[in-house]
Amino acid sequence: MNRTGSGAFDALADLRAAGHPIDLLDERQRDVFASLNETEVILLNSIKRRLDDVAPEVEGQELKLV
């Protein structure tokens, strides 16, 4: 887990390192992600890894609305 120079947990650094597009969010949204604790970031990163693992299968499908 990433820590700042003071030893505090840096949620945004961990999320960026895992490939979350944090910098595309507006400031208020980033503030919400910055306030996450280590357990919450671990959970989000776990979900992202699972989604990434099935991305080729999921992205290859089309949604057709009639």
Side-chain angles (χ1 to χ4, degrees):
M1 292 287 146
N2 284 306
R3 300 277 174 185
T4 63
S6 66
F9 174 65
D10 187 345
L12 294 181
D14 265 26
L15 292 167
R16 280 186 190 101
H20 294 278
I22 296 299
D23 297 314
L24 297 178
L25 302 173
D26 67 38
E27 185 178 353
R28 289 176 23 189
Q29 291 169 324
R30 269 192 313 275
D31 288 345
V32 170
F33 282 96
S35 71
L36 297 177
N37 64 42
E38 289 182 60
T39 302
E40 292 167 324
V41 170
I42 289 169
L43 176 61
L44 279 179
N45 288 342
S46 173
I47 293 168
K48 182 181 185 316
R49 277 190 304 275
R50 289 189 213 167
L51 290 171
D52 288 348
D53 288 346
V54 298
E57 296 172 28
V58 174
E59 290 173 359
Q61 299 177 9
E62 290 184 37
L63 176 63
K64 295 182 181 181
L65 301 174
V66 179

